[in-house]
Amino acid sequence: KKKKKSNDLLDQLDKFITYDIFKWYWTQEMEDYDLSERFFRLLKKPHENYVAKDDFGPLIKELLNDHPGLEFLSNHAEFQDKYAITVITRIFYTVNICHSGRITSRQIRRSDLLSAFQQVDEEEDINKVTRYFSYEHFYVLYCRFWELDHDRDYKITRE
C-alpha cells in the first residue's frame, strides 16, 4: 500500500523538519489565518478547539531558556517551574474569563495575550513586560503565597 504524502510527512516529524514538512504545515494550518488564529493554532493540540494549560509549556520553557531577562534562573529549576506555573496561571486568570480551564480562539482574539508575547520577545528586561511575564511580579506573588502556606504543602487553606 502506498501511504498518503501527508502521513509520510507526519511520520517524519519526530526526526526533523524538512522544507516539505514545513510547507505542508504552513499551507494546511497557517496560511489562511490571521496572526491571532495562527497563534491559537500553534498553541493548541491538533484536533482540539481550545488551549489547555499544558499547551503553554513549550513556549514558557523556551522563554526560560532563551530570554536574557531570565538568564539568572538557568541553574534554579525549582524556581523555573514555579515561574512557569505562575505565568500560565496569570494568563488563564486574565484570558479565560469564564474560568473553564480552556482558552478559545475568541478569548485569545479579545485579549492582550498575543501582544504580550510579542512584547516579551522584543523586550530584554523581563520586568518591563508587566502583563503575565514580569519576574518581579512573580516574586511578589510567590512570597505572598509562601507566607500563606503555613504547612508548606503548596496549598492554601482557610485556616
Side-chain angles (χ1 to χ4, degrees):
K1 273 184 169 176
K2 187 176 179 182
K3 285 184 175 181
K4 292 180 185 176
K5 186 173 183 169
S6 63
N7 287 340
D8 288 340
L9 293 174
L10 288 173
D11 292 341
Q12 294 177 29
L13 282 176
D14 63 339
K15 298 175 188 159
F16 55 89
I17 296 176
T18 65
Y19 174 75
D20 287 338
I21 293 170
F22 176 79
K23 185 177 175 186
W24 174 83
Y25 180 78
W26 179 261
T27 57
Q28 296 298 311
E29 295 291 329
M30 298 287 129
E31 190 172 39
D32 294 336
Y33 302 99
D34 66 8
L35 285 177
S36 179
E37 185 66 18
R38 287 176 185 170
F39 184 71
F40 173 73
R41 295 173 78 79
L42 280 170
L43 283 174
K44 72 180 187 67
K45 291 177 182 69
H47 311 295
E48 295 291 356
N49 62 352
Y50 61 88
V51 176
K53 289 182 180 179
D54 62 329
D55 294 332
F56 282 97
L59 261 69
I60 304 302
K61 182 180 178 184
E62 288 306 311
L63 181 73
L64 283 160
N65 287 337
D66 296 334
H67 198 283
L70 295 170
E71 199 173 323
F72 68 97
L73 282 178
S74 63
N75 294 322
H76 302 284
E78 182 180 335
F79 273 100
Q80 287 182 6
D81 291 343
K82 289 173 177 53
Y83 175 82
I85 291 166
T86 303
V87 167
I88 293 166
T89 301
R90 290 181 74 191
I91 289 169
F92 269 79
Y93 183 79
T94 304
V95 177
N96 183 227
I97 53 176
C98 63
H99 304 293
S100 67
R102 297 176 171 190
I103 295 177
T104 64
S105 174
R106 183 177 183 175
Q107 289 172 336
I108 287 177
R109 185 172 306 285
R110 291 179 167 206
S111 74
D112 64 353
L113 186 59
L114 183 56
S115 64
F117 268 98
Q118 289 171 329
Q119 184 184 7
V120 81
D121 183 52
E122 296 167 1
E123 178 58 60
E124 289 194 21
D125 184 350
I126 197 79
N127 294 313
K128 289 184 178 177
V129 188
T130 56
R131 297 171 297 166
Y132 316 116
F133 300 104
S134 168
Y135 185 81
E136 288 174 349
H137 289 189
F138 154 74
Y139 195 72
V140 168
L141 289 167
Y142 178 77
C143 288
R144 186 65 183 134
F145 179 86
W146 191 252
E147 288 173 16
L148 296 171
D149 182 24
H150 300 290
D151 58 0
R152 304 295 181 241
D153 65 351
Y154 295 103
K155 296 177 185 173
I156 299 174
T157 58
R158 291 182 188 257
E159 293 91 47

